[in-house]
Amino acid sequence: MGQLALSGVKKRFEKLEVIHGIDLDIRDGEFVVFVGPSGCGKSTLLRMICGLEEISEGDCTIDGVRVNDLPPVKRGIAMVFQSYALYPHMSVFENIAFPLRVEKLAEAEIKARVGRAAAVLQLENRLHQKPGNLSGGQRQRVAIGRAIVREPSIFLFDEPLSNLDAALRAEMRIELTALHQKLKATMIYVTHDQVEAMTMADRIVVLDGGSISQVGAPLELYHHPDNMFVAGFIGNPRMNFIPATCTAVTDAGATVALATGGAVTVPVAAGPALVGQALTLGIRPEHLSQGPGDVAVDVTPTVVERLGVNTVAYADLPGVGTVAALLPGAATVAPGVPARLSFGGADCHLFDAAGMALPRRAMTPAETA
Ligand code: ADP
Ligand code: MG
């Protein structure tokens, strides 16, 4: 079992509060990713869960038992860090076996557990080697092996892939997802990288300045961000934001006049009080095109990135900032050459002055048919 609940969890360092009251339920077997920019409190939250950091206020329960006052080893948790912290003079076998030796397990049990972990991690042929002879990815697998042998009900990972190069990170993402499927244990994974969050998580917890900004499945966050922070954080290149003013509200949604010119109707649920309000329209780069659309922005790209499968064009618009468009690989855009980028109202998001998303309007019977 590996069910975890946080309720009203706060952290203060001296007088400075850095975690402001976290409520979160994590189901047994779930892969949950804490994501957010550097300094938002991801590591602190993880360290409170595993017992390396005291919880200033609130409760942490594991399988219904309050663990606030339990030492780390009694919580049934294993943590994997960014730095693998392997012992260079010990073999891979002994590095993996280390926590079991500390627990004084019998030799036969140690052999069996290390053997099972090595099989899961494909390290069977490396057990006699020293960490210095391994690649970065293999070393990280040894560190994970050291967590696996303890047979925890919950695994915690704090940016375990940050030290690896991009190709290896992509490979290890897939390995960790496969590992989760094999072990079926609860995993909580911390990263500042939204791609890792999107690709590995059953559910993502987006943290912003010590508070939860939104919790949801990856595509829920992508399609229905609750606020501008999540909208801007999830998705790459990030969502474009254009100042807008509401000019009319009808059954079809809210019509807004854009600071970049033109107007578009976004299918949100809103009342007449919205008319006249200053809003922000959000449109993802992948929803801009050089084809027809409900409305367009005229830009002169400053930078054009050719990625093969896609082309990304960036332009600066006065009063708006940088606008990015994710176009097909063969798109005919070039730096310094004016281009018209169109989009549809259905792909837009609207945010109020406080940065909160306006809810989508319910679909009409004709639309759901
Ligand atoms: P993240 O892992 O998301 O980058 P951290 O959890 O490490 O963020 O830090 C969250 C906040 O808490 C930061 O503002 C950081 O400076 C502060 N903090 C972390 N550890 C300590 C500490 N031991 N003493 C004082 N402040 C700390
Ligand atoms: Mg951290």
Side-chain angles (χ1 to χ4, degrees), residues 47-283:
R47 290 167 61 81
M48 284 194 285
I49 292 171
C50 85
L52 291 174
E53 203 72 75
E54 201 185 317
I55 297 172
S56 307
E57 202 178 312
D59 289 321
C60 175
T61 62
I62 294 175
D63 297 328
V65 177
R66 185 174 180 275
V67 299
N68 289 46
D69 304 317
L70 283 186
V73 291
K74 294 269 172 69
R75 296 190 185 193
I77 284 179
M79 185 142 165
V80 179
F81 299 92
Q82 176 178 347
S83 59
Y84 337 120
L86 302 180
Y87 299 104
H89 60 284
M90 287 186 190
S91 66
V92 167
F93 182 100
E94 286 305 326
N95 266 286
I96 295 177
F98 189 78
L100 306 182
R101 300 241 182 259
V102 172
E103 283 182 51
K104 300 199 173 14
L105 259 57
E107 191 63 36
E109 176 68 13
I110 292 179
K111 274 220 170 86
R113 287 208 200 179
V114 174
R116 281 201 295 273
V120 167
L121 297 167
Q122 291 164 353
L123 286 169
E124 293 118 310
N125 301 327
R126 306 279 174 184
L127 288 174
H128 59 283
Q129 293 184 341
K130 296 275 165 61
N133 298 327
L134 304 182
S135 68
Q138 289 165 337
R139 279 182 227 176
Q140 190 52 277
R141 273 191 256 151
V142 175
I144 294 168
R146 201 160 49 184
I148 291 178
V149 288
R150 295 181 53 205
E151 302 181 348
S153 54
I154 303 178
F155 286 85
L156 305 181
F157 296 93
D158 193 353
E159 313 231 12
L161 308 185
S162 298
N163 283 344
L164 307 178
D165 66 49
L168 199 50
R169 273 211 306 274
E171 219 172 275
M172 287 299 292
R173 281 207 307 263
I174 297 168
E175 281 191 26
L176 280 171
T177 303
L179 182 70
H180 177 244
Q181 284 160 5
K182 270 187 227 165
L183 299 177
K184 298 184 172 37
T186 307
M187 293 189 173
I188 307 176
Y189 185 101
V190 159
T191 180
H192 63 275
D193 179 350
Q194 61 94 25
V195 176
E196 283 183 15
M198 290 296 282
T199 51
M200 296 197 289
D202 294 320
R203 269 193 315 158
I204 297 175
V205 177
V206 182
L207 291 168
D208 178 18
S211 300
I212 292 181
S213 194
Q214 191 174 355
V215 180
L219 291 183
E220 261 172 73
L221 299 192
Y222 176 83
H223 290 296
H224 304 292
D226 277 348
N227 52 63
M228 280 176 74
F229 180 81
V230 173
F233 196 80
I234 300 289
N236 184 37
R238 77 195 283 270
M239 187 184 282
N240 300 300
F241 294 114
I242 302 173
T245 306
C246 181
T247 55
V249 172
T250 64
D251 286 348
T255 302
V256 293
L258 301 178
T260 49
V264 66
T265 300
V266 183
V268 291
L274 197 68
V275 175
Q277 282 193 32
L279 303 170
T280 302
L281 179 131
I283 180 76

Side-chain angles (χ1 to χ4, degrees), residues 10-22:
K10 294 186 179 179
K11 179 66 188 179
R12 285 182 287 270
F13 290 107
E14 308 288 329
K15 288 218 174 70
L16 181 70
E17 187 175 285
V18 298
I19 301 284
H20 307 298
I22 300 284

